[in-house]
Amino acid sequence: MSRIAALFRSFRIVKEHVGTDHFGNKYFFIPEQKTWTGRSVRQRRMIEAANPKEFEYLEGNIPCEWDAWIRGRRKTPPTVEELLQNERYRAEVKLRVEEAEQRDLALQRQEYEDGLVARPAQTLIKGHASATHYGQVQEGEEPVSTANTFQPGAWTPGGNTPKK
């Protein structure tokens, strides 16, 4: 039985489990090896997703440290300590950004109150410049009159003057 098992193992490609992230994705390293037919298989890095269905994948389901390892931008897989340290750093940066935005809004309010900066003009824009009806005068239901300047028969198509 052991010879059959050894023969079966020689048919498949050996993959080494490297780590798992907090989403449940498993990461594997396939070293360079030869198959039973003598064909050489180059080394690869691969992932087995926690959600194997493609439509359930959301952007951000692979941490950037693992993504860098998969794409070969780093030689060693990330450690748990490194992942936790980077997560704390990202949370700290988010807090700093929120504080900077609050300071900026307070400064902007103070400049408006002191009259140092004019408030932006509030304009009402109808439509979008790329729309076919942008800037065109919309005709109302009320008739438009030219008052006393209208002369019957004075206008002809094409700009030709009437013959008398």
Side-chain angles (χ1 to χ4, degrees):
M1 185 70 174
S2 65
R3 285 188 179 192
I4 294 173
L7 182 63
F8 180 70
R9 263 186 262 125
S10 68
F11 285 124
R12 66 185 177 118
I13 295 175
V14 177
K15 61 183 180 181
E16 173 186 336
H17 183 259
V18 176
T20 306
D21 63 15
H22 60 281
F23 293 117
N25 301 321
K26 296 179 183 176
Y27 300 90
F28 295 95
F29 175 71
I30 300 174
E32 186 173 338
Q33 55 190 311
K34 292 194 181 263
T35 63
W36 67 278
T37 60
R39 190 180 68 145
S40 180
V41 177
R42 66 180 180 90
Q43 73 175 15
R44 289 185 301 173
R45 297 170 181 184
M46 60 180 281
I47 179 174
E48 283 184 5
N51 266 342
K53 297 178 183 166
E54 189 174 320
F55 65 90
E56 291 179 352
Y57 174 78
L58 297 173
E59 186 175 339
N61 281 356
I62 299 175
C64 59
E65 295 86 359
W66 279 110
D67 185 60
W69 180 78
I70 286 282
R71 295 175 187 267
R73 292 191 298 252
R74 64 183 292 165
K75 294 185 185 220
T76 59
T79 62
V80 175
E81 294 82 21
E82 180 185 359
L83 292 169
L84 292 174
Q85 179 185 6
N86 289 346
E87 194 64 36
R88 284 192 301 268
Y89 176 73
R90 285 187 202 102
E92 185 179 322
V93 167
K94 283 182 184 178
L95 288 174
R96 288 182 188 170
V97 166
E98 288 176 10
E99 290 172 0
E101 286 178 350
Q102 293 300 325
R103 283 194 309 265
D104 186 45
L105 287 173
L107 180 63
Q108 194 176 35
R109 267 194 306 273
Q110 185 64 35
E111 288 174 345
Y112 286 147
E113 290 172 3
D114 293 345
L116 298 174
V117 178
R119 293 201 181 268
Q122 299 293 326
T123 58
L124 179 63
I125 299 173
K126 294 182 180 179
H128 189 272
S130 65
T132 56
H133 61 277
Y134 180 75
Q136 295 178 356
V137 179
Q138 295 181 357
E139 297 179 12
E141 294 182 16
E142 305 254 343
V144 178
S145 172
T146 56
N148 297 335
T149 60
F150 178 73
Q151 296 176 354
W155 179 84
T156 58
N160 296 334
T161 56
K163 296 180 182 177
K164 294 185 179 181

